[in-house]
mmCIF file of all heavy atoms in Angstrom:
data_model
loop_
_atom_site.group_PDB
_atom_site.id
_atom_site.type_symbol
_atom_site.label_atom_id
_atom_site.label_comp_id
_atom_site.label_asym_id
_atom_site.label_seq_id
_atom_site.Cartn_x
_atom_site.Cartn_y
_atom_site.Cartn_z
ATOM 1 N N MET D 22 138.473 191.748 35.346
ATOM 2 C CA MET D 22 137.134 192.043 35.772
ATOM 3 C C MET D 22 136.933 191.430 37.156
ATOM 4 O O MET D 22 137.190 190.243 37.344
ATOM 5 C CB MET D 22 136.121 191.436 34.796
ATOM 6 C CG MET D 22 134.702 191.591 35.262
ATOM 7 S SD MET D 22 133.505 190.601 34.338
ATOM 8 C CE MET D 22 133.819 191.096 32.692
ATOM 9 N N LEU D 23 136.509 192.243 38.092
ATOM 10 C CA LEU D 23 136.227 191.743 39.431
ATOM 11 C C LEU D 23 134.748 191.399 39.554
ATOM 12 O O LEU D 23 133.891 192.161 39.106
ATOM 13 C CB LEU D 23 136.595 192.785 40.480
ATOM 14 C CG LEU D 23 138.075 193.141 40.567
ATOM 15 C CD1 LEU D 23 138.284 194.218 41.629
ATOM 16 C CD2 LEU D 23 138.909 191.922 40.874
ATOM 17 N N VAL D 24 134.476 190.257 40.153
ATOM 18 C CA VAL D 24 133.100 189.815 40.370
ATOM 19 C C VAL D 24 132.911 189.604 41.859
ATOM 20 O O VAL D 24 133.712 188.921 42.499
ATOM 21 C CB VAL D 24 132.823 188.498 39.604
ATOM 22 C CG1 VAL D 24 131.429 187.992 39.909
ATOM 23 C CG2 VAL D 24 133.018 188.696 38.118
ATOM 24 N N ARG D 25 131.863 190.205 42.385
ATOM 25 C CA ARG D 25 131.556 190.074 43.822
ATOM 26 C C ARG D 25 130.301 189.230 44.020
ATOM 27 O O ARG D 25 129.326 189.391 43.309
ATOM 28 C CB ARG D 25 131.281 191.451 44.436
ATOM 29 C CG ARG D 25 132.452 192.363 44.432
ATOM 30 C CD ARG D 25 132.081 193.707 45.049
ATOM 31 N NE ARG D 25 133.048 194.708 44.706
ATOM 32 C CZ ARG D 25 134.221 194.860 45.294
ATOM 33 N NH1 ARG D 25 134.544 194.059 46.289
ATOM 34 N NH2 ARG D 25 135.045 195.790 44.895
ATOM 35 N N GLY D 26 130.353 188.364 45.019
ATOM 36 C CA GLY D 26 129.162 187.655 45.464
ATOM 37 C C GLY D 26 128.712 186.488 44.606
ATOM 38 O O GLY D 26 127.633 185.948 44.833
ATOM 39 N N ALA D 27 129.523 186.060 43.640
ATOM 40 C CA ALA D 27 129.123 184.916 42.808
ATOM 41 C C ALA D 27 129.428 183.610 43.540
ATOM 42 O O ALA D 27 130.390 183.515 44.296
ATOM 43 C CB ALA D 27 129.873 184.951 41.487
ATOM 44 N N SER D 28 128.604 182.605 43.319
ATOM 45 C CA SER D 28 128.902 181.278 43.874
ATOM 46 C C SER D 28 129.492 180.371 42.805
ATOM 47 O O SER D 28 130.201 179.418 43.119
ATOM 48 C CB SER D 28 127.648 180.653 44.477
ATOM 49 O OG SER D 28 126.635 180.550 43.489
ATOM 50 N N THR D 29 129.177 180.668 41.543
ATOM 51 C CA THR D 29 129.754 179.927 40.420
ATOM 52 C C THR D 29 129.972 180.889 39.248
ATOM 53 O O THR D 29 129.320 181.925 39.149
ATOM 54 C CB THR D 29 128.837 178.777 39.927
ATOM 55 O OG1 THR D 29 127.583 179.323 39.540
ATOM 56 C CG2 THR D 29 128.665 177.705 40.973
ATOM 57 N N ILE D 30 130.909 180.519 38.396
ATOM 58 C CA ILE D 30 131.177 181.253 37.152
ATOM 59 C C ILE D 30 131.137 180.234 36.014
ATOM 60 O O ILE D 30 131.760 179.177 36.110
ATOM 61 C CB ILE D 30 132.580 181.915 37.180
ATOM 62 C CG1 ILE D 30 132.679 182.952 38.292
ATOM 63 C CG2 ILE D 30 132.945 182.506 35.824
ATOM 64 C CD1 ILE D 30 131.879 184.204 38.075
ATOM 65 N N ARG D 31 130.407 180.551 34.954
ATOM 66 C CA ARG D 31 130.369 179.676 33.774
ATOM 67 C C ARG D 31 131.298 180.260 32.721
ATOM 68 O O ARG D 31 131.169 181.422 32.343
ATOM 69 C CB ARG D 31 128.955 179.568 33.219
ATOM 70 C CG ARG D 31 128.832 178.559 32.092
ATOM 71 C CD ARG D 31 127.421 178.501 31.538
ATOM 72 N NE ARG D 31 126.422 178.242 32.553
ATOM 73 C CZ ARG D 31 126.044 177.028 32.968
ATOM 74 N NH1 ARG D 31 126.592 175.969 32.427
ATOM 75 N NH2 ARG D 31 125.127 176.893 33.903
ATOM 76 N N ASP D 32 132.252 179.444 32.233
ATOM 77 C CA ASP D 32 133.198 179.950 31.239
ATOM 78 C C ASP D 32 132.622 179.848 29.832
ATOM 79 O O ASP D 32 131.475 179.422 29.641
ATOM 80 C CB ASP D 32 134.560 179.254 31.357
ATOM 81 C CG ASP D 32 134.526 177.777 31.001
ATOM 82 O OD1 ASP D 32 133.598 177.343 30.294
ATOM 83 O OD2 ASP D 32 135.444 177.055 31.444
ATOM 84 N N ALA D 33 133.397 180.256 28.825
ATOM 85 C CA ALA D 33 132.914 180.314 27.443
ATOM 86 C C ALA D 33 132.544 178.939 26.896
ATOM 87 O O ALA D 33 131.720 178.835 25.992
ATOM 88 C CB ALA D 33 133.977 180.953 26.560
ATOM 89 N N GLU D 34 133.123 177.879 27.464
ATOM 90 C CA GLU D 34 132.805 176.523 27.018
ATOM 91 C C GLU D 34 131.623 175.929 27.765
ATOM 92 O O GLU D 34 131.234 174.794 27.516
ATOM 93 C CB GLU D 34 134.028 175.607 27.172
ATOM 94 C CG GLU D 34 135.120 175.864 26.143
ATOM 95 C CD GLU D 34 135.923 177.117 26.431
ATOM 96 O OE1 GLU D 34 136.191 177.399 27.612
ATOM 97 O OE2 GLU D 34 136.248 177.835 25.473
ATOM 98 N N GLY D 35 131.105 176.673 28.720
ATOM 99 C CA GLY D 35 129.957 176.207 29.475
ATOM 100 C C GLY D 35 130.302 175.498 30.764
ATOM 101 O O GLY D 35 129.408 175.013 31.460
ATOM 102 N N THR D 36 131.586 175.415 31.103
ATOM 103 C CA THR D 36 132.012 174.758 32.331
ATOM 104 C C THR D 36 131.743 175.658 33.525
ATOM 105 O O THR D 36 132.055 176.847 33.497
ATOM 106 C CB THR D 36 133.514 174.431 32.266
ATOM 107 O OG1 THR D 36 133.754 173.623 31.118
ATOM 108 C CG2 THR D 36 133.977 173.706 33.518
ATOM 109 N N LEU D 37 131.154 175.087 34.591
ATOM 110 C CA LEU D 37 130.904 175.840 35.815
ATOM 111 C C LEU D 37 132.107 175.733 36.735
ATOM 112 O O LEU D 37 132.643 174.638 36.940
ATOM 113 C CB LEU D 37 129.686 175.282 36.545
ATOM 114 C CG LEU D 37 128.331 175.831 36.135
ATOM 115 C CD1 LEU D 37 127.245 175.158 36.964
ATOM 116 C CD2 LEU D 37 128.263 177.324 36.278
ATOM 117 N N HIS D 38 132.530 176.866 37.288
ATOM 118 C CA HIS D 38 133.638 176.915 38.233
ATOM 119 C C HIS D 38 133.103 177.439 39.563
ATOM 120 O O HIS D 38 132.457 178.486 39.585
ATOM 121 C CB HIS D 38 134.739 177.857 37.722
ATOM 122 C CG HIS D 38 135.306 177.434 36.405
ATOM 123 N ND1 HIS D 38 136.409 176.614 36.309
ATOM 124 C CD2 HIS D 38 134.914 177.694 35.134
ATOM 125 C CE1 HIS D 38 136.673 176.399 35.019
ATOM 126 N NE2 HIS D 38 135.794 177.049 34.302
ATOM 127 N N SER D 39 133.358 176.701 40.633
ATOM 128 C CA SER D 39 132.927 177.143 41.950
ATOM 129 C C SER D 39 133.748 178.339 42.407
ATOM 130 O O SER D 39 134.951 178.408 42.147
ATOM 131 C CB SER D 39 133.099 176.024 42.982
ATOM 132 O OG SER D 39 132.236 174.971 42.669
ATOM 133 N N VAL D 40 133.102 179.248 43.098
ATOM 134 C CA VAL D 40 133.762 180.432 43.653
ATOM 135 C C VAL D 40 133.730 180.312 45.166
ATOM 136 O O VAL D 40 132.667 180.095 45.741
ATOM 137 C CB VAL D 40 133.052 181.721 43.202
ATOM 138 C CG1 VAL D 40 133.643 182.935 43.878
ATOM 139 C CG2 VAL D 40 133.105 181.856 41.689
ATOM 140 N N ASP D 41 134.922 180.414 45.786
ATOM 141 C CA ASP D 41 134.981 180.280 47.239
ATOM 142 C C ASP D 41 135.503 181.535 47.916
ATOM 143 O O ASP D 41 135.936 181.498 49.062
ATOM 144 C CB ASP D 41 135.827 179.067 47.629
ATOM 145 C CG ASP D 41 137.240 179.140 47.074
ATOM 146 O OD1 ASP D 41 137.560 180.134 46.390
ATOM 147 O OD2 ASP D 41 138.019 178.200 47.337
ATOM 148 N N ARG D 42 135.462 182.664 47.191
ATOM 149 C CA ARG D 42 135.911 183.939 47.743
ATOM 150 C C ARG D 42 134.816 184.979 47.530
ATOM 151 O O ARG D 42 134.036 184.879 46.588
ATOM 152 C CB ARG D 42 137.157 184.432 47.022
ATOM 153 C CG ARG D 42 138.345 183.528 47.161
ATOM 154 C CD ARG D 42 139.468 184.092 46.369
ATOM 155 N NE ARG D 42 140.669 183.293 46.535
ATOM 156 C CZ ARG D 42 141.844 183.645 46.074
ATOM 157 N NH1 ARG D 42 141.969 184.783 45.399
ATOM 158 N NH2 ARG D 42 142.887 182.895 46.262
ATOM 159 N N PRO D 43 134.804 186.017 48.344
ATOM 160 C CA PRO D 43 133.802 187.068 48.155
ATOM 161 C C PRO D 43 134.003 187.856 46.867
ATOM 162 O O PRO D 43 133.047 188.326 46.262
ATOM 163 C CB PRO D 43 133.974 187.986 49.367
ATOM 164 C CG PRO D 43 134.955 187.351 50.263
ATOM 165 C CD PRO D 43 135.585 186.198 49.555
ATOM 166 N N VAL D 44 135.270 187.990 46.426
ATOM 167 C CA VAL D 44 135.588 188.705 45.195
ATOM 168 C C VAL D 44 136.595 187.867 44.405
ATOM 169 O O VAL D 44 137.569 187.379 44.973
ATOM 170 C CB VAL D 44 136.208 190.095 45.483
ATOM 171 C CG1 VAL D 44 136.537 190.810 44.182
ATOM 172 C CG2 VAL D 44 135.276 190.931 46.334
ATOM 173 N N VAL D 45 136.336 187.693 43.105
ATOM 174 C CA VAL D 45 137.278 186.969 42.245
ATOM 175 C C VAL D 45 137.570 187.822 41.015
ATOM 176 O O VAL D 45 136.753 188.633 40.590
ATOM 177 C CB VAL D 45 136.745 185.584 41.812
ATOM 178 C CG1 VAL D 45 136.691 184.638 42.981
ATOM 179 C CG2 VAL D 45 135.403 185.696 41.130
ATOM 180 N N ALA D 46 138.761 187.631 40.440
ATOM 181 C CA ALA D 46 139.169 188.352 39.237
ATOM 182 C C ALA D 46 139.117 187.406 38.052
ATOM 183 O O ALA D 46 139.776 186.361 38.044
ATOM 184 C CB ALA D 46 140.572 188.906 39.409
ATOM 185 N N LEU D 47 138.331 187.780 37.047
ATOM 186 C CA LEU D 47 138.214 186.979 35.831
ATOM 187 C C LEU D 47 139.194 187.492 34.790
ATOM 188 O O LEU D 47 139.386 188.697 34.652
ATOM 189 C CB LEU D 47 136.800 187.057 35.270
ATOM 190 C CG LEU D 47 135.702 186.509 36.158
ATOM 191 C CD1 LEU D 47 134.356 186.670 35.461
ATOM 192 C CD2 LEU D 47 135.954 185.065 36.511
ATOM 193 N N CYS D 48 139.783 186.574 34.038
ATOM 194 C CA CYS D 48 140.727 186.950 32.980
ATOM 195 C C CYS D 48 139.977 187.473 31.773
ATOM 196 O O CYS D 48 139.030 186.849 31.302
ATOM 197 C CB CYS D 48 141.565 185.742 32.589
ATOM 198 S SG CYS D 48 142.708 186.085 31.238
ATOM 199 N N ARG D 49 140.403 188.615 31.266
ATOM 200 C CA ARG D 49 139.818 189.193 30.045
ATOM 201 C C ARG D 49 140.792 189.127 28.875
ATOM 202 O O ARG D 49 140.417 189.387 27.744
ATOM 203 C CB ARG D 49 139.435 190.656 30.279
ATOM 204 C CG ARG D 49 138.416 190.894 31.371
ATOM 205 C CD ARG D 49 137.008 190.497 30.998
ATOM 206 N NE ARG D 49 136.558 191.016 29.737
ATOM 207 C CZ ARG D 49 135.932 192.179 29.558
ATOM 208 N NH1 ARG D 49 135.675 192.943 30.579
ATOM 209 N NH2 ARG D 49 135.564 192.555 28.363
ATOM 210 N N CYS D 50 142.073 188.796 29.152
ATOM 211 C CA CYS D 50 143.064 188.786 28.071
ATOM 212 C C CYS D 50 143.227 187.385 27.468
ATOM 213 O O CYS D 50 143.860 187.228 26.431
ATOM 214 C CB CYS D 50 144.406 189.290 28.582
ATOM 215 S SG CYS D 50 145.260 188.140 29.684
ATOM 216 N N ASP D 51 142.683 186.375 28.133
ATOM 217 C CA ASP D 51 142.751 184.983 27.673
ATOM 218 C C ASP D 51 144.161 184.408 27.700
ATOM 219 O O ASP D 51 144.443 183.428 27.027
ATOM 220 C CB ASP D 51 142.154 184.856 26.274
ATOM 221 C CG ASP D 51 141.613 183.461 26.006
ATOM 222 O OD1 ASP D 51 141.100 182.827 26.944
ATOM 223 O OD2 ASP D 51 141.726 182.997 24.852
ATOM 224 N N LYS D 52 145.070 184.999 28.457
ATOM 225 C CA LYS D 52 146.449 184.511 28.541
ATOM 226 C C LYS D 52 146.788 183.903 29.895
ATOM 227 O O LYS D 52 147.900 183.413 30.085
ATOM 228 C CB LYS D 52 147.441 185.650 28.254
ATOM 229 C CG LYS D 52 147.247 186.315 26.900
ATOM 230 C CD LYS D 52 147.506 185.342 25.772
ATOM 231 C CE LYS D 52 147.384 186.049 24.435
ATOM 232 N NZ LYS D 52 147.317 185.148 23.336
ATOM 233 N N SER D 53 145.871 183.939 30.816
ATOM 234 C CA SER D 53 146.126 183.407 32.155
ATOM 235 C C SER D 53 146.389 181.910 32.103
ATOM 236 O O SER D 53 145.788 181.181 31.300
ATOM 237 C CB SER D 53 144.910 183.687 33.053
ATOM 238 O OG SER D 53 145.057 183.034 34.290
ATOM 239 N N SER D 54 147.240 181.419 32.963
ATOM 240 C CA SER D 54 147.468 179.973 33.067
ATOM 241 C C SER D 54 146.439 179.335 33.990
ATOM 242 O O SER D 54 146.450 178.124 34.176
ATOM 243 C CB SER D 54 148.877 179.687 33.569
ATOM 244 O OG SER D 54 149.043 180.204 34.867
ATOM 245 N N ARG D 55 145.550 180.168 34.561
ATOM 246 C CA ARG D 55 144.533 179.662 35.485
ATOM 247 C C ARG D 55 143.123 180.044 35.027
ATOM 248 O O ARG D 55 142.276 180.368 35.850
ATOM 249 C CB ARG D 55 144.782 180.229 36.882
ATOM 250 C CG ARG D 55 146.121 179.861 37.476
ATOM 251 C CD ARG D 55 146.289 180.454 38.876
ATOM 252 N NE ARG D 55 145.190 180.146 39.736
ATOM 253 C CZ ARG D 55 144.382 181.064 40.302
ATOM 254 N NH1 ARG D 55 144.574 182.335 40.110
ATOM 255 N NH2 ARG D 55 143.391 180.704 41.080
ATOM 256 N N LEU D 56 142.879 180.038 33.731
ATOM 257 C CA LEU D 56 141.556 180.441 33.224
ATOM 258 C C LEU D 56 140.437 179.686 33.922
ATOM 259 O O LEU D 56 140.612 178.511 34.206
ATOM 260 C CB LEU D 56 141.485 180.191 31.714
ATOM 261 C CG LEU D 56 142.310 181.142 30.858
ATOM 262 C CD1 LEU D 56 142.317 180.654 29.408
ATOM 263 C CD2 LEU D 56 141.765 182.558 30.940
ATOM 264 N N PRO D 57 139.365 180.294 34.264
ATOM 265 C CA PRO D 57 138.938 181.642 33.877
ATOM 266 C C PRO D 57 139.444 182.750 34.800
ATOM 267 O O PRO D 57 139.057 183.890 34.650
ATOM 268 C CB PRO D 57 137.408 181.544 33.957
ATOM 269 C CG PRO D 57 137.174 180.629 35.116
ATOM 270 C CD PRO D 57 138.295 179.595 35.010
ATOM 271 N N TRP D 58 140.330 182.415 35.731
ATOM 272 C CA TRP D 58 140.780 183.400 36.709
ATOM 273 C C TRP D 58 141.987 184.192 36.204
ATOM 274 O O TRP D 58 142.864 183.645 35.535
ATOM 275 C CB TRP D 58 141.161 182.715 38.035
ATOM 276 C CG TRP D 58 140.205 181.658 38.446
ATOM 277 C CD1 TRP D 58 140.481 180.331 38.615
ATOM 278 C CD2 TRP D 58 138.813 181.793 38.712
ATOM 279 N NE1 TRP D 58 139.344 179.650 38.960
ATOM 280 C CE2 TRP D 58 138.307 180.528 39.033
ATOM 281 C CE3 TRP D 58 137.927 182.869 38.708
ATOM 282 C CZ2 TRP D 58 136.965 180.307 39.339
ATOM 283 C CZ3 TRP D 58 136.591 182.643 39.010
ATOM 284 C CH2 TRP D 58 136.124 181.384 39.327
ATOM 285 N N CYS D 59 142.065 185.429 36.545
ATOM 286 C CA CYS D 59 143.218 186.271 36.225
ATOM 287 C C CYS D 59 144.384 185.870 37.119
ATOM 288 O O CYS D 59 144.220 185.728 38.329
ATOM 289 C CB CYS D 59 142.847 187.737 36.463
ATOM 290 S SG CYS D 59 144.247 188.859 36.349
ATOM 291 N N ASP D 60 145.555 185.672 36.524
ATOM 292 C CA ASP D 60 146.751 185.368 37.312
ATOM 293 C C ASP D 60 147.795 186.478 37.215
ATOM 294 O O ASP D 60 148.942 186.297 37.615
ATOM 295 C CB ASP D 60 147.352 184.018 36.895
ATOM 296 C CG ASP D 60 147.942 184.033 35.496
ATOM 297 O OD1 ASP D 60 147.818 185.057 34.794
ATOM 298 O OD2 ASP D 60 148.529 183.004 35.106
ATOM 299 N N GLY D 61 147.424 187.606 36.618
ATOM 300 C CA GLY D 61 148.340 188.742 36.509
ATOM 301 C C GLY D 61 149.148 188.768 35.232
ATOM 302 O O GLY D 61 149.899 189.706 34.991
ATOM 303 N N THR D 62 148.998 187.751 34.388
ATOM 304 C CA THR D 62 149.761 187.698 33.138
ATOM 305 C C THR D 62 149.504 188.915 32.264
ATOM 306 O O THR D 62 150.400 189.363 31.542
ATOM 307 C CB THR D 62 149.412 186.410 32.373
ATOM 308 O OG1 THR D 62 149.761 185.291 33.185
ATOM 309 C CG2 THR D 62 150.155 186.322 31.046
ATOM 310 N N HIS D 63 148.318 189.487 32.317
ATOM 311 C CA HIS D 63 147.986 190.654 31.480
ATOM 312 C C HIS D 63 148.962 191.806 31.699
ATOM 313 O O HIS D 63 149.148 192.632 30.822
ATOM 314 C CB HIS D 63 146.552 191.125 31.745
ATOM 315 C CG HIS D 63 146.343 191.613 33.138
ATOM 316 N ND1 HIS D 63 145.949 190.798 34.176
ATOM 317 C CD2 HIS D 63 146.524 192.843 33.658
ATOM 318 C CE1 HIS D 63 145.865 191.506 35.280
ATOM 319 N NE2 HIS D 63 146.217 192.754 35.005
ATOM 320 N N LYS D 64 149.606 191.839 32.847
ATOM 321 C CA LYS D 64 150.524 192.939 33.164
ATOM 322 C C LYS D 64 151.811 192.882 32.350
ATOM 323 O O LYS D 64 152.488 193.885 32.207
ATOM 324 C CB LYS D 64 150.886 192.917 34.651
ATOM 325 C CG LYS D 64 149.706 193.168 35.545
ATOM 326 C CD LYS D 64 150.116 193.048 36.993
ATOM 327 C CE LYS D 64 148.916 193.126 37.901
ATOM 328 N NZ LYS D 64 149.275 192.860 39.299
ATOM 329 N N VAL D 65 152.159 191.716 31.821
ATOM 330 C CA VAL D 65 153.410 191.568 31.065
ATOM 331 C C VAL D 65 153.180 191.406 29.563
ATOM 332 O O VAL D 65 154.129 191.235 28.810
ATOM 333 C CB VAL D 65 154.252 190.390 31.597
ATOM 334 C CG1 VAL D 65 154.666 190.640 33.032
ATOM 335 C CG2 VAL D 65 153.512 189.077 31.460
ATOM 336 N N ILE D 66 151.929 191.456 29.124
ATOM 337 C CA ILE D 66 151.622 191.349 27.694
ATOM 338 C C ILE D 66 151.739 192.738 27.078
ATOM 339 O O ILE D 66 151.128 193.687 27.575
ATOM 340 C CB ILE D 66 150.198 190.802 27.484
ATOM 341 C CG1 ILE D 66 150.092 189.396 28.044
ATOM 342 C CG2 ILE D 66 149.827 190.836 26.003
ATOM 343 C CD1 ILE D 66 148.679 188.855 28.053
ATOM 344 N N PRO D 67 152.517 192.872 25.982
ATOM 345 C CA PRO D 67 152.607 194.176 25.326
ATOM 346 C C PRO D 67 151.238 194.628 24.828
ATOM 347 O O PRO D 67 150.448 193.812 24.357
ATOM 348 C CB PRO D 67 153.553 193.931 24.147
ATOM 349 C CG PRO D 67 154.241 192.651 24.447
ATOM 350 C CD PRO D 67 153.334 191.861 25.331
ATOM 351 N N ARG D 68 150.987 195.916 24.961
ATOM 352 C CA ARG D 68 149.718 196.464 24.482
ATOM 353 C C ARG D 68 149.713 196.547 22.971
ATOM 354 O O ARG D 68 150.739 196.790 22.354
ATOM 355 C CB ARG D 68 149.492 197.864 25.058
ATOM 356 C CG ARG D 68 149.240 197.836 26.506
ATOM 357 C CD ARG D 68 148.921 199.218 26.975
ATOM 358 N NE ARG D 68 148.599 199.185 28.381
ATOM 359 C CZ ARG D 68 147.936 200.117 29.003
ATOM 360 N NH1 ARG D 68 147.565 201.192 28.326
ATOM 361 N NH2 ARG D 68 147.674 200.025 30.275
ATOM 362 N N ARG D 69 148.519 196.358 22.386
ATOM 363 C CA ARG D 69 148.365 196.502 20.935
ATOM 364 C C ARG D 69 148.254 197.969 20.578
ATOM 365 O O ARG D 69 147.658 198.733 21.307
ATOM 366 C CB ARG D 69 147.079 195.803 20.489
ATOM 367 C CG ARG D 69 147.233 194.360 20.303
ATOM 368 C CD ARG D 69 146.056 193.854 19.509
ATOM 369 N NE ARG D 69 145.494 192.730 20.217
ATOM 370 C CZ ARG D 69 144.242 192.331 20.119
ATOM 371 N NH1 ARG D 69 143.409 192.976 19.380
ATOM 372 N NH2 ARG D 69 143.820 191.292 20.778
ATOM 373 N N ARG D 70 148.815 198.300 19.430
ATOM 374 C CA ARG D 70 148.646 199.663 18.917
ATOM 375 C C ARG D 70 147.264 199.765 18.293
ATOM 376 O O ARG D 70 146.797 198.820 17.660
ATOM 377 C CB ARG D 70 149.711 199.992 17.894
ATOM 378 C CG ARG D 70 151.060 200.089 18.537
ATOM 379 C CD ARG D 70 152.051 200.601 17.554
ATOM 380 N NE ARG D 70 153.324 200.825 18.255
ATOM 381 C CZ ARG D 70 154.374 201.301 17.665
ATOM 382 N NH1 ARG D 70 154.339 201.610 16.398
ATOM 383 N NH2 ARG D 70 155.464 201.487 18.354
ATOM 384 N N THR D 71 146.634 200.903 18.425
ATOM 385 C CA THR D 71 145.282 201.077 17.907
ATOM 386 C C THR D 71 145.256 201.889 16.613
ATOM 387 O O THR D 71 144.209 202.109 16.061
ATOM 388 C CB THR D 71 144.378 201.768 18.947
ATOM 389 O OG1 THR D 71 144.971 203.006 19.301
ATOM 390 C CG2 THR D 71 144.208 200.876 20.159
ATOM 391 N N SER D 72 146.395 202.355 16.119
ATOM 392 C CA SER D 72 146.372 203.161 14.888
ATOM 393 C C SER D 72 146.872 202.404 13.688
ATOM 394 O O SER D 72 147.314 201.318 13.729
ATOM 395 C CB SER D 72 147.232 204.398 15.060
ATOM 396 O OG SER D 72 148.554 204.021 15.400
HETATM 397 S S1 FES Y 23 143.234 189.608 32.566
HETATM 398 FE FE1 FES Y 23 144.182 187.857 31.750
HETATM 399 S S2 FES Y 23 145.687 187.425 33.208
HETATM 400 FE FE2 FES Y 23 144.730 189.145 34.010
#
């Protein structure tokens, strides 16, 4: 998820993270080593079957 124009991001535990870029990518898969930020790990996680 890309977020534009935020100065801070609050994670699920309530911790505030400062944002120093105009656009940041938030992790939605919960596998990033840099949570709450996306580090690209989602690209190597096998997809779940839906059936
Ligand atoms: S969405 Fe989790 S690492 Fe990219």
Side-chain angles (χ1 to χ4, degrees):
M22 174 192 305
L23 296 178
V24 176
R25 295 179 197 280
S28 58
T29 58
I30 297 290
R31 186 181 305 273
D32 67 21
E34 287 76 38
T36 303
L37 273 180
H38 300 268
S39 294
V40 174
D41 58 0
R42 297 178 177 188
V44 180
V45 291
L47 297 180
C48 177
R49 300 286 310 270
C50 72
D51 206 34
K52 302 296 183 193
S53 172
S54 63
R55 299 180 52 241
L56 288 172
W58 318 118
C59 171
D60 68 355
T62 299
H63 64 270
K64 296 177 187 174
V65 297
I66 297 172
R68 291 185 177 200
R69 278 196 231 155
R70 292 188 174 182
T71 57
S72 57

